Amino acid sequence: MRIDIISGVPAQLDSPLNTSILKRAMDKGLVEIHVHDLRNYSTDKHRSIDDAPYGGGAGMVLMVAPIAAVVRKLVAEREYDEVIYLTPDGQVLDQKLVNGLSLYKNIILICGHYKGIDQRARDLFVTREISIGDYVLTGGEIAAIVLSDAIVRLLPGVLGDETSALSDSFQSNLLDAPMYTRPSNFEGHEVPSILLSGNHAHIEQWRDEQAYHKTQVRRPDMLGE
Ligand code: 6GU
């Protein structure tokens, strides 16, 4: 899979893309992530990419021309499945949406400022708008990282244990059971003895019960209740 991220503040993407599992997936050739600095596509002599909104009001809006230039360059090079704009007024991201996006070959992610991008860029180029939740961030970069991370961890070969993504909370519509590791006794607080029993059928049954109970208490909406 290939992900192209268009950003006016590409430095915000550096550290997440250069650490941990995202980086390892890129090094293994399982995903290509290309960051495009919007400023390199500015069409005026001051290299500006944003301006005040017509009609007045606070904040700056990303201009349509630089976005048009970079999107047109990319779509001339290969076929894209989606051009996604990250915005708080988009479709709210959930695991089902991530699962669908993880099947694509090429996607473009456009990061906006907090005040957004010119509506004409949305009308002309964007095929899908996604929000990562009902709260407001300063820009779309962090949202693009959240979305990329959620997608990339589903790609075959990215996670060591092939089954671990499938057993996630939200894939099963249940939250995870409590997990424990060494030591079995921490300052008198014991690990549930069933987990030390070696009886895998009983352990699986205990985890199912715990997962169901936790979901019932914390997220009854996930059970349709
Ligand atoms: Cl995608 N962008 C911004 N600026 N804020 C958000 C968001 C995106 N999703 C939730 N809040």
Side-chain angles (χ1 to χ4, degrees), residues 86-88 130-133 135-140 143:
L86 282 313
T87 174
I130 293 177
S131 162
I132 64 162
Y135 43 82
V136 180
L137 304 169
T138 55

Side-chain angles (χ1 to χ4, degrees), residues 40 74 99 137 164 167 176 205:
N40 295 337
L74 290 172
N99 292 351
L137 304 169
S164 66
S167 67
D176 273 347
Q205 190 188 348

Side-chain angles (χ1 to χ4, degrees), residues 168-199:
D168 287 342
S169 287
F170 297 100
Q171 292 294 11
S172 58
N173 286 315
L174 288 180
L175 300 176
D176 273 347
M179 302 299 280
Y180 298 87
T181 188
R182 290 184 301 156
S184 64
N185 183 326
F186 176 69
E187 298 175 356
H189 300 271
E190 303 259 15
V191 168
S193 58
I194 181 129
L195 296 175
L196 310 175
S197 70
N199 186 328

Side-chain angles (χ1 to χ4, degrees), residues 78-106:
R78 67 194 61 74
E79 200 159 317
Y80 284 91
D81 299 290
E82 298 263 22
V83 178
I84 297 169
Y85 171 46
L86 282 313
T87 174
D89 59 10
Q91 173 185 8
V92 178
L93 186 65
D94 63 10
Q95 190 63 48
K96 190 165 154 242
L97 179 52
V98 174
N99 292 351
L101 298 175
S102 76
L103 303 175
Y104 286 150
K105 207 159 131 40
N106 301 306

